[in-house]
Amino acid sequence: SDEETDDPPTLEHLSLSHPSGGVNRLRVMPEKPIVATWSDAGVVHLFDLQSQLALLERNAGKGAAGGMSGMGGAAASMRQSKGSFFDYEGHGCEGYALDWSKVSPGRLVTGDVQGAIHVWDVEAAAATNTPSPATAPSQWSI
């Protein structure tokens, strides 16, 4: 019967180390596999997951026999990767508001617990490593 030949489901995954504190919020950029996280240490981290997704795609469906365990050094190097490609410490305190613009690709808005809202262009900030976000008054909402 079909039930006897079906393989059990396999969950394939790769882990990333988070550079600072716990993760308060996580959002994925709609246009690219860029992930933004808000840490409880008051830092926004950006991760480019393109290489991790490609690695999972290449090994899709191979399961434990030929998938992650068969990658050897590749899986280990992904777990030990440099982590975030950009760290933004401009808020100075913890925050929870985090979202990508649906209108302007690559634009990220972050809001901290003291009411500061920063809107910044991720690609420009990462290229110069010195973001200059626009700040908004605290009466704005995200």
Side-chain angles (χ1 to χ4, degrees):
S1 81
D2 288 337
E3 291 178 24
E4 293 176 24
T5 60
D6 287 344
D7 291 329
T10 302
L11 175 63
E12 297 173 353
H13 71 282
L14 292 172
S15 299
L16 294 172
S17 61
H18 195 257
S20 63
V23 177
N24 287 346
R25 290 284 185 268
L26 180 142
R27 295 287 185 265
V28 179
M29 182 189 289
E31 301 80 21
K32 295 180 182 180
I34 304 275
V35 172
T37 65
W38 239 124
S39 80
D40 60 7
V43 182
V44 177
H45 301 283
L46 300 178
F47 300 86
D48 185 347
L49 301 184
Q50 193 162 354
S51 60
Q52 287 89 340
L53 289 174
L55 185 59
L56 286 171
E57 285 290 324
R58 281 195 305 274
N59 292 286
K62 295 181 182 173
M68 296 302 135
S69 63
M71 287 190 290
S77 68
M78 295 311 288
R79 282 191 297 270
Q80 298 169 1
S81 67
K82 64 179 179 171
S84 59
F85 72 86
F86 185 74
D87 305 306
Y88 178 64
E89 299 176 352
H91 279 281
C93 64
E94 187 173 20
Y96 294 92
L98 176 70
D99 207 358
W100 295 99
S101 172
K102 292 170 181 51
V103 177
S104 300
R107 184 162 293 163
L108 182 69
V109 63
T110 54
D112 63 38
V113 296
Q114 293 178 346
I117 297 172
H118 295 197
V119 180
W120 44 292
D121 183 285
V122 171
E123 292 178 4
T128 62
N129 205 27
T130 54
S132 299
T135 57
S138 61
Q139 69 266 18
W140 288 23
S141 63
I142 297 177

